[in-house]
Amino acid sequence: MLEPWDEVISLQRERQLCADDVRAFQSSCIKDHGKKHSIECPDCWNRLVNRIRDRYLNSASKEWFSGRRPFLLELDTLFSKAHNREVDFETIEQRILDGKREWYRDKVKVLGLQHATKSASEEQNLQQRLTDRSIPTDQLVSELRRAFSDGAVQNEEAFNGFIERLKLASTPQARADAYIDIFFQPNHDPSGAAKSQKYIDMVRNAVSVSDVINAMIRDRHAAERDQSEKQALHRQLEEKFEELKRAKAAHELAKSKRDKARQDKARAKAALTDGQSDLPSCSACSKAPDPQGFIICPLCQILGDYYGLQVKPAIFCSEKCEEERYETHVDAMHECASGQGCVQLHDEDVEMDEGGNILVCCRECVETLGVPSTFCSTRCFGENFQHHRDNVHLPERKTTQHEIDDASQLEFDPEDGMRYRARKIEEHIITFEDAMKGWQRKTGATAK
């Protein structure tokens, strides 16, 4: 199969021969038959039609229309009609032009030029343009030139010079040199030519240009696959590295928490040991308690040890003393912060939360304000929430300079804008049971 430029050379040669013959017919007709144009002479007209017909149907050279049988059969029909003057040359010329445009699209596809674009997106776009028959061929030619031009040389000028070199090339080496100069441009891009030495060697070894292009396309796609695989591997390594960083951070955080827990436990134990040497006397009998066997009020322990409040703990030397004085201690030191508003004082039949009387602490008081406020039940705190907030929270916030915005946690009475309650009382309490669990987690101690 001829290379495309060989077809161009053959086309130029055969076209020139045909043009020379047509001019000879014209001159002969004027001289011998006295006609101004062959179209006026029946004999010369038939000779003219036959010569142009032979140009396409009996060409000795391999040209763009060779082997395109349906096209040649259609041309043969048109030339037969031209003998009878049923069609003119303009009709035949237009059909030849349309056939050449169809050949051009097919040739570009066969050469695989769409694969030689600079990017995958350009390749996909050009492939779609080649299959779109609504795009004029002239427009497609311009797009191809823009796609492959790198500005190093003028395409039209370079191609014409290339054709002339091939016409004059008398040896395979001369043709190879012409190929190398036009395709790899060593004079304009020495570094690029050096990178393409593999393909230059193929040209010098008489490998067809179409096979060289196919090799370049295969190598390019392989390089793209390698690059894609490298990028994918890089992403995997980055993800693995990030995963290891997260795992290391989690491990260090867990270790830090374990270390802190051990330190807190040690400090609590040390504090307890230190405190045992200076225990207060029994709150019931005033005897000195046994450091290894005393009983402490659990609420005092939680408020003082866990929340760090200034609370003097009640100590009992025995279970008997605890039974004797514990309730008195609770009534005196841990009475319901609702005071006279306590629900137990106003409703003797009230059922205190599920399961009975469940002690709760005011979260803001014990965690922020340093006030040991306890309530006999969640319900009691809820019903006295406004009184407690107005008389404890607001003054203590001012004293301790704590700015707390809890407006969104309040629900105002639609009939009396001065009255309000907690929107969710559960957000404002800590049950004694939860406080005990927190203290146990902090110190590692157990409560009986």
Side-chain angles (χ1 to χ4, degrees):
M1 183 178 70
L2 292 178
E3 301 288 6
W5 35 89
D6 291 323
E7 293 182 6
V8 172
I9 294 173
S10 177
L11 171 65
Q12 292 176 347
R13 182 179 63 251
E14 294 298 329
R15 180 187 290 166
Q16 186 62 48
L17 290 174
C18 183
D20 292 343
D21 288 345
V22 169
R23 281 194 294 270
F25 290 157
Q26 292 278 50
S27 298
S28 175
C29 186
I30 292 172
K31 179 180 178 181
D32 297 338
H33 301 149
K35 304 294 183 180
K36 294 182 179 180
H37 198 282
S38 299
I39 195 173
E40 300 174 359
C41 179
D43 292 338
C44 291
W45 171 252
N46 287 330
R47 290 175 61 198
L48 180 63
V49 171
N50 287 335
R51 177 62 184 92
I52 298 176
R53 178 184 180 278
D54 289 342
R55 163 80 183 87
Y56 292 96
L57 274 74
N58 295 314
S59 175
S61 301
K62 185 76 171 177
E63 298 188 54
W64 65 266
F65 49 80
S66 300
R68 299 178 74 86
R69 184 172 177 78
F71 168 71
L72 294 175
L73 289 176
E74 187 175 347
L75 273 188
D76 192 22
T77 300
L78 290 175
F79 282 121
S80 296
K81 290 182 178 181
H83 277 294
N84 300 325
R85 301 181 184 272
E86 295 177 11
V87 298
D88 55 21
F89 275 134
E90 289 184 359
T91 302
I92 296 175
E93 185 178 3
Q94 183 61 48
R95 182 63 190 94
I96 292 172
L97 183 59
D98 291 341
K100 193 171 184 179
R101 287 169 175 163
E102 294 173 2
W103 165 84
Y104 178 81
R105 289 179 182 273
D106 294 340
K107 192 68 174 179
V108 172
K109 289 182 182 179
V110 170
L111 288 175
L113 294 183
Q114 68 272 20
H115 300 302
T117 51
K118 296 180 179 65
S119 66
S121 59
E122 288 182 345
E123 176 182 344
Q124 183 178 9
N125 179 63
L126 185 56
Q127 181 67 43
Q128 294 174 347
R129 308 289 282 176
L130 288 173
T131 57
D132 187 352
R133 296 286 176 176
S134 66
I135 299 176
T137 304
D138 292 342
Q139 179 181 340
L140 187 62
V141 171
S142 298
E143 292 179 3
L144 280 170
R145 284 177 174 172
R146 286 196 300 271
F148 297 114
S149 176
D150 59 3
V153 294
Q154 296 295 325
N155 288 345
E156 193 74 25
E157 178 184 346
F159 183 74
N160 291 336
F162 172 61
I163 293 297
E164 291 303 316
R165 286 188 64 179
L166 290 183
K167 289 179 181 179
L168 299 174
S170 58
T171 64
Q173 182 61 42
R175 286 179 64 90
D177 290 340
Y179 287 160
I180 293 169
D181 287 343
I182 189 65
F183 293 125
F184 302 103
Q185 303 177 13
N187 294 329
H188 296 282
D189 185 13
S191 62
K195 295 177 182 178
S196 302
Q197 189 60 48
K198 168 185 175 180
Y199 311 112
I200 292 176
D201 293 342
M202 293 176 68
V203 172
R204 293 195 184 282
N205 291 329
V207 177
S208 68
V209 173
S210 60
D211 288 342
V212 174
I213 292 175
N214 288 334
M216 295 172 71
I217 293 171
R218 286 194 303 271
D219 291 347
R220 175 181 173 180
H221 288 171
E224 290 174 348
R225 286 193 299 271
D226 289 344
Q227 181 65 21
S228 177
E229 291 174 358
K230 289 179 181 179
Q231 291 175 349
L233 178 60
H234 182 67
R235 287 194 298 271
Q236 291 176 359
L237 292 175
E238 283 188 336
E239 291 173 358
K240 188 65 176 178
F241 180 66
E242 290 299 323
E243 182 180 341
L244 291 174
K245 285 173 61 179
R246 290 193 295 270
K248 180 181 179 182
H251 171 73
E252 291 178 348
L253 178 61
K255 182 177 181 297
S256 176
K257 288 182 177 180
R258 289 194 300 269
D259 292 344
K260 185 177 184 303
R262 284 194 295 267
Q263 291 171 2
D264 290 344
K265 184 176 180 180
R267 281 196 294 268
K269 183 177 181 181
L272 183 60
T273 302
D274 293 341
Q276 286 175 353
S277 61
D278 190 24
L279 289 174
S281 59
C282 176
S283 298
C285 67
S286 301
K287 292 181 180 180
D290 181 359
Q292 302 299 322
F294 66 92
I295 301 171
I296 187 170
C297 169
L299 185 53
C300 289
Q301 181 77 15
I302 295 300
L303 294 174
D305 188 36
Y306 186 47
Y307 291 110
L309 305 182
Q310 297 298 319
V311 176
K312 182 179 180 181
I315 302 294
F316 303 100
C317 63
S318 64
E319 292 183 357
K320 179 181 179 181
C321 285
E322 179 189 19
E323 292 175 0
E324 178 181 325
R325 192 62 64 88
Y326 181 73
E327 292 294 337
T328 303
H329 163 73
V330 171
D331 291 341
M333 303 302 298
H334 304 304
E335 69 171 331
C336 181
S338 296
Q340 295 301 313
C342 179
V343 295
Q344 295 186 76
L345 300 178
H346 302 286
D347 188 353
E348 296 181 356
D349 297 328
V350 67
E351 292 186 8
M352 313 302 295
D353 299 310
E354 290 186 12
N357 190 350
I358 299 179
L359 191 68
V360 297
C361 297
C362 172
R363 183 182 297 275
E364 183 176 338
C365 282
V366 300
E367 291 185 349
T368 305
L369 302 178
V371 179
S373 299
T374 57
F375 294 83
C376 62
S377 67
T378 302
R379 176 187 169 188
C380 187
F381 186 22
E383 293 191 6
N384 291 277
F385 178 77
Q386 180 174 356
H387 180 272
H388 178 72
R389 179 176 179 274
D390 291 345
N391 291 277
V392 179
H393 289 184
L394 299 184
E396 288 295 330
R397 290 177 189 175
K398 185 176 181 180
T399 300
T400 58
Q401 296 183 343
H402 280 93
E403 295 183 3
I404 300 175
D405 183 8
D406 59 353
S408 62
Q409 298 177 307
L410 306 180
E411 184 177 301
F412 287 85
D413 189 335
E415 298 180 358
D416 183 357
M418 299 299 293
R419 294 180 57 81
Y420 62 86
R421 62 179 181 178
R423 189 178 299 276
K424 291 183 179 179
I425 193 62
E426 295 81 5
E427 295 178 354
H428 300 271
I429 66 169
I430 301 175
T431 66
F432 178 70
E433 181 181 359
D434 289 340
M436 179 65 74
K437 290 179 180 178
W439 175 74
Q440 289 176 327
R441 285 194 300 270
K442 175 181 177 182
T443 62
T446 58
K448 296 182 180 180

